[in-house]
Amino acid sequence: MSAGRSTSAVGSTSAGRGVLEGVAPQPGVAKPDPILVLDGVRRRFGGLTAVDVEHLEVQRGMITALIGPNGAGKTTLFNLLTGFDQADAGSWSFDGSDLAGLPTHQVARRGLLRTFQLTKALSRLSVVENMKLGATGQRGEGFLSALISPLWRDQEREIEQRARALLRRFQLEHLAEDFAGTLSGGQRKLLEMARALMAEPAMVLLDEPMAGVNPALAQSLLGHVRTLPGDGTSVLFVEHDMDVVHDISDWVVVMAEGRVIAEGPPEAVGANPAVIDAYLGTHHDAPADEGEERARLEDAEARMEAEATSTSTPTRTAGDDR
Amino acid sequence: MDWGLIFENGLKAGVGDFAAVFALAAIGLNVHFGYTGLLNFGQVGFMAVGAYGIAVAVTYLGTSLWLGLLVGLAASVVLALLLGLPTLRLRADYLAIVTIAASEIVRLMVRSVSLREYTGGSSGLTQFADDFYAINPFAPGRYGISPITFTERQTWLLLVAWLAVAIAAAMVFVLMRSPWGRVLKSIREDEDAARSLGKNVYWYKMQSLLFGGVLGSIAGFVLAISTQSVQPDTFSPDLTFFAYVVLILGGTARVLGPVVGAMIFWMLLSATDNLLRQAVRQEYIPTAIMDGVQVGQVRFMLVGLALMALMAYRPQGIFGDRREIELDVRR
Ligand SMILES: Nc1ncnc2c1ncn2[C@@H]1O[C@H](COP(=O)(O)OP(=O)(O)O)[C@@H](O)[C@H]1O
Ligand SMILES: [Mg+2]
């Protein structure tokens, strides 16, 4: 069962960019066909404002990167959107319907799925069972119908085929019968993403899908992310590696200290003084000449790269980050 | 030493009424703990409401035993809802605290003076299961394979009790291979992951608590009908922990784990009891070390030692999968 997949999906990444050609690169700018619209979303932890988003629209059928220094509030924003945490204020709509306040499982059923910064593989279930759990609308998930296997056997077979096909695409097929707990960190990231795709979501929120993944796996993971819009799944993903962001995203949203401070096409955000400020942590005067600006840009990018490597080693406790 | 008698009594205990009672209670715990990861430390509470459900319905309300069974089932459903509604949204430890407390509340309530009129107070109720023995199809005599034989009343009870065990185990077998069981297991592994995939974790935990609790109340039925009596102090927290021992001995999250665990547990208890008693009587063990009265306690020590050895050499239990134990490190 498809969970309300978009019908107006834009074919490919390059086509995706065309749609946003005329959109001004300003924080909170309106998009032609937004799938996710946030208004005044705020979350405080004691005196700390973790998230404070005035207005944000995420375009349907493309890949949007969410970047920002550590502690910018990206994970907290994902938690709010998916019902893992409650916002203090604000509203947001997904695919035209209001999602604020809905419990997590209902958010997922409306087609908005997320993955976790620290993976959540179901260790003592096999890889293929992990995948099958992701499918929606399973008839055998009711207590009474579960007792009568003819009611769900055919559907189960269809789900299993779909799971194995996805595992093949994610190069995990040879591990299908293994306990998920035996997978490497990178393989878990792949599994978690593949498992979310079993629900055929209209949109996925990927929290640092590439962190801790070895380069070879990261390449294939990137390849998979790139195909998602073509399959009708919009993507919002958190990433620190600017090469990756340049490579696959159609649009970039920059957060710092809970606020959206910039957005625009990937080429443009790196040059944005506000973004450079956020990563350098200090205010700078306007660059004197082109040479200085280029030097500053390189400096900022180097910082972002440094963030990418520093965050791939988890420094916080498991309970902190969903 | 009469080894034949020790062996004979051990086998009888292994297929006896208590083995069936604990098999049922542990199958319920297996649904809670083994498959869903719910820490229910009050399984004896479900056994108590089941047992008292029939006893009070028959004795005080004057209903038939059969209607009493429905009362017992309904009581266990109510208890599961009372326990689950406030705690299943919270962390796992809250359920553990609330269940052990609730099972003690049930015991103290049924033994209280103010409810004596209905529950018989500390002496309990007796002779409420005549309906069951009235339909005994077995003619008077002894049944079984000599020397393991039972009276016609025991035979009838054991037949029905083990049939209930078989049905419960078969249900668990089917359920845990279904998508429903898959959701339970995913909650055991990581409930946030299950939630993020659209599963209503709260409702599944509640279903698990209900199903395992109902099995606990059926264990209570068997206990009450077998002894034709209910007494509040039978239902002390020890029973829950015996059920855990049975479950861990057999292997958690295994369909037959609790069944075989219960049989072996009662065999061991009976064998150590007989062995010690004979040893004391024939003065192999001087009374300075232990007398006949202390046998009851010492046998639990020995069974405890045996369990420790099992945990050291086979932590997965008899049927468990060692690989699963090794994976059981939350990262
Ligand atoms: N449960 C929490 N309690 C208190 N502070 C939190 C909690 N979760 C996140 N924070 C704080 O909120 C800020 C944003 O965190 P987070 O969303 O994890 O950032 P990011 O994912 O962008 O690195 C950080 O300062 C973090 O310490
Ligand atoms: Mg984060």
Side-chain angles (χ1 to χ4, degrees):
Chain A
M1 203 183 85
S2 165
R5 300 185 108 189
S6 105
T7 42
S8 59
V10 183
S12 73
T13 306
S14 47
R17 281 189 194 188
V19 174
L20 294 182
E21 204 101 282
V23 175
Q26 300 161 353
V29 67
K31 310 286 185 319
D33 181 18
I35 186 166
L36 186 65
V37 181
L38 285 71
D39 269 299
V41 178
R42 210 163 55 233
R43 176 68 167 111
R44 287 210 181 89
F45 294 112
L48 174 94
T49 303
V51 169
D52 187 6
V53 175
E54 271 313 310
H55 186 81
L56 178 65
E57 298 186 5
V58 180
Q59 172 70 12
R60 184 192 307 276
M62 55 176 57
I63 301 176
T64 305
L66 179 61
I67 67 169
N70 254 334
K74 306 178 296 291
T75 297
T76 306
L77 180 64
F78 278 13
N79 286 344
L80 296 176
L81 294 177
T82 53
F84 275 98
D85 191 6
Q86 308 311 314
D88 299 320
S91 63
W92 56 95
S93 71
F94 172 72
D95 231 355
S97 64
D98 193 9
L99 280 197
L102 275 192
T104 300
H105 68 274
Q106 282 182 24
V107 174
R109 283 183 199 171
R110 307 230 175 152
L112 177 60
L113 264 77
R114 60 93 53 93
T115 65
F116 297 88
Q117 188 171 344
L118 300 175
T119 50
K120 293 189 179 295
L122 306 166
S123 298
R124 287 177 294 169
L125 292 186
S126 70
V127 167
V128 68
E129 288 288 300
N130 263 266
M131 292 292 289
K132 282 147 84 180
L133 183 73
T136 54
Q138 297 192 44
R139 286 192 285 276
E141 285 185 354
F143 179 81
L144 291 177
S145 55
L147 287 168
I148 309 161
S149 68
L151 290 180
W152 48 266
R153 213 185 291 131
D154 290 346
Q155 190 192 32
E156 177 84 356
R157 208 168 293 134
E158 180 264 322
I159 289 170
E160 167 120 17
Q161 274 166 11
R162 213 149 52 75
R164 288 189 187 271
L166 257 178
L167 285 176
R168 201 169 310 132
R169 253 178 69 192
F170 279 71
Q171 288 155 28
L172 292 171
E173 205 194 10
H174 59 294
L175 301 168
E177 317 305 332
D178 291 7
F179 282 130
T182 63
L183 301 190
S184 72
Q187 289 167 334
R188 284 171 197 227
K189 289 262 177 193
L190 281 172
L191 173 60
E192 191 169 300
M193 189 168 136
R195 190 175 65 192
L197 295 181
M198 280 299 288
E200 304 185 312
M203 181 173 195
V204 284
L205 310 177
L206 306 173
D207 201 347
E208 305 201 18
M210 253 61 87
V213 178
N214 76 47
L217 273 181
Q219 270 314 308
S220 82
L221 199 61
L222 275 184
H224 297 309
V225 175
R226 205 181 271 121
T227 63
L228 292 181
D231 295 340
T233 302
S234 311
V235 179
L236 179 64
F237 79 114
V238 172
E239 182 51 57
H240 287 286
D241 187 329
M242 287 312 288
D243 285 337
V244 169
V245 171
H246 276 291
D247 194 17
I248 68 163
S249 56
D250 305 300
W251 194 259
V252 180
V253 174
V254 189
M255 276 181 82
E257 293 171 355
R259 295 194 319 278
V260 174
I261 56 162
E263 55 176 302
E267 308 79 42
V269 289
N272 187 322
V275 177
I276 298 169
D277 265 4
Y279 275 90
L280 294 179
T282 48
H283 184 73
H284 290 263
D285 297 325
D289 57 54
E290 239 178 73
E292 195 180 327
E293 181 175 343
R294 197 173 310 118
R296 213 170 265 177
L297 259 176
E298 278 162 10
D299 189 18
E301 294 221 346
R303 294 252 183 169
M304 296 182 196
E305 297 288 341
E307 287 265 309
T309 39
S310 75
T311 49
S312 54
T313 48
T315 49
R316 265 180 279 161
T317 54
D320 247 21
D321 252 310
R322 300 272 193 180
Chain B
M1 286 290 212
D2 185 350
W3 293 103
L5 186 69
I6 293 173
F7 190 65
E8 190 185 312
N9 285 340
L11 283 181
K12 271 181 120 165
V15 297
D17 51 355
F18 274 66
V21 167
F22 279 86
L24 282 165
I27 291 173
L29 268 191
N30 201 19
V31 172
H32 292 156
F33 175 71
Y35 291 106
T36 325
L38 295 178
L39 273 176
N40 169 15
F41 281 140
Q43 185 69 339
V44 68
F46 289 103
M47 296 166 75
V49 296
Y52 269 92
I54 48 177
V56 173
V58 171
T59 315
Y60 179 75
L61 300 176
T63 68
S64 70
L65 179 66
W66 319 120
L67 209 59
L69 294 176
L70 289 182
V71 173
L73 289 177
S76 69
V77 167
V78 170
L79 180 63
L81 292 174
L82 281 177
L83 293 175
L85 286 174
T87 56
L88 289 179
R89 281 188 210 282
L90 307 174
R91 263 193 354 239
D93 1 3
Y94 289 93
L95 183 71
I97 297 165
V98 167
T99 46
I100 193 167
S103 72
E104 277 294 88
I105 291 171
V106 169
R107 184 175 69 86
L108 293 172
M109 265 175 63
V110 293
R111 91 191 298 285
S112 70
V113 178
S114 49
L115 291 179
R116 179 182 288 156
E117 187 189 342
Y118 316 102
T119 61
S122 57
S123 49
L125 299 168
T126 54
Q127 295 304 316
F128 44 78
D130 294 337
D131 284 356
F132 177 80
Y133 295 103
I135 59 161
N136 187 354
F138 292 97
R142 291 194 77 83
Y143 296 83
I145 306 157
S146 176
I148 317 295
T149 59
F150 299 96
T151 67
E152 77 282 359
R153 282 169 70 91
Q154 289 170 325
T155 309
W156 173 225
L157 178 96
L158 289 178
L159 179 75
V160 174
W162 287 105
L163 199 65
V165 171
I167 292 170
M171 279 180 82
V172 170
F173 176 84
V174 172
L175 285 169
M176 295 311 158
R177 265 161 194 69
S178 77
W180 187 82
R182 182 159 62 221
V183 177
L184 291 200
K185 289 182 246 177
S186 75
I187 292 170
R188 173 191 72 197
E189 296 301 308
D190 190 324
E191 60 176 82
D192 279 343
R195 208 170 266 139
S196 77
L197 293 168
K199 313 303 172 195
N200 187 347
V201 168
Y202 182 66
W203 173 229
Y204 279 98
K205 283 182 177 176
M206 185 59 92
Q207 290 178 64
S208 167
L209 192 63
L210 283 165
F211 179 48
V214 162
L215 292 177
S217 70
I218 295 172
F221 294 161
V222 175
L223 186 62
I225 293 173
S226 170
T227 54
Q228 274 266 41
S229 72
V230 289
Q231 252 190 332
D233 295 333
T234 314
F235 300 98
S236 63
D238 312 13
L239 257 61
T240 301
F241 295 104
F242 289 167
Y244 266 104
V245 167
V246 158
L247 177 59
I248 290 163
L249 183 67
T252 53
R254 287 289 175 279
V255 173
L256 290 180
V259 180
V260 173
M263 297 173 97
I264 291 177
F265 180 71
W266 287 100
M267 256 188 250
L268 276 179
L269 270 189
S270 155
T272 46
D273 191 79
N274 276 285
L275 193 68
L276 289 171
R277 268 179 219 292
Q278 288 194 35
V280 169
R281 202 175 313 123
Q282 292 168 25
E283 290 172 356
Y284 291 127
I285 301 173
T287 42
I289 296 179
M290 185 176 94
D291 60 34
V293 196
Q294 289 161 338
V295 164
Q297 280 88 52
V298 173
R299 65 172 181 163
F300 280 122
M301 291 182 199
L302 289 182
V303 171
L305 271 178
L307 270 172
M308 281 162 71
L310 179 84
M311 287 299 102
Y313 295 105
R314 211 180 153 76
Q316 69 273 37
I318 292 164
F319 282 113
D321 182 339
R322 181 142 206 160
R323 292 180 308 156
E324 288 195 7
I325 298 284
E326 280 152 8
L327 280 175
D328 196 13
V329 188
R330 300 277 152 86
R331 320 228 231 159

